[in-house]
Amino acid sequence: MSEHPDCALIRRGYEAFGKGDMDTLGTLMTADVIHHMPGSSPLAGHHKGREAVLDLYRRLGEETNGTFRVRLERVLVDGRGHAMAFHMAQGDRGDRGIEIHEGLFFTIVGGKITDIDQCTQDIDESDAFWS
């Protein structure tokens, strides 16, 4: 059985993110993509537009001195332009570390990511780490 195109798109995105390949990652998104990051940390909020989303991803690396990693565990699709990805996020920031399960809910239109809603296993822990 072949992989659904939406599933393959999300896997390509995770692969590019893992390599720090923002050019490739940017090609997978629409110009008006939005990433909704939960919580109340300085990184939380609605990051609107491809450059703002890519800047968020760059900042994840900068804030953790390059230690931030995600390990993709599962991708689910509905065949109607939605995908859910589950991963383990890990990183170190100052004297604090984090290892936390997170999920991303993607909306996909025309083979490109248009919207990303992020959820986390423990929002208080995530806020404490990024604040």
Side-chain angles (χ1 to χ4, degrees):
M1 183 178 347
S2 65
E3 184 172 54
H4 190 278
D6 292 346
C7 188
L9 173 71
I10 300 310
R11 289 186 190 283
R12 279 195 315 274
Y14 269 85
E15 182 180 332
F17 181 89
K19 293 177 180 177
D21 184 354
M22 296 300 143
D23 290 335
T24 296
L25 198 52
T27 68
L28 306 178
M29 303 172 187
T30 60
D32 61 349
V33 64
I34 301 173
H35 185 128
H36 310 274
M37 189 163 176
S40 59
S41 78
L43 297 179
H46 308 288
H47 303 270
K48 300 176 183 181
R50 182 183 300 127
E51 285 311 310
V53 171
L54 294 175
D55 285 344
L56 169 66
Y57 299 161
R58 286 183 193 100
R59 191 159 172 210
L60 296 174
E62 291 167 3
E63 294 284 331
T64 61
N65 285 329
T67 65
F68 189 75
R69 299 280 182 262
V70 294
R71 186 180 72 246
L72 182 61
E73 297 174 342
R74 181 171 301 146
V75 179
L76 309 175
V77 297
D78 69 357
R80 297 179 294 120
H82 301 109
M84 294 172 57
F86 301 92
H87 62 258
M88 174 65 74
Q90 298 172 290
D92 296 305
R93 191 165 181 260
D95 61 351
R96 186 178 194 110
I98 195 166
E99 182 172 295
I100 193 167
H101 281 99
E102 295 179 331
L104 299 175
F105 180 81
F106 297 89
T107 302
I108 301 164
V109 176
K112 299 225 181 220
I113 299 164
T114 64
D115 197 81
I116 307 164
D117 279 301
Q118 182 173 333
C119 294
T120 184
Q121 175 184 19
D122 185 334
I123 201 157
D124 293 331
E125 177 65 20
S126 183
D127 278 342
F129 180 75
W130 293 112
S131 292

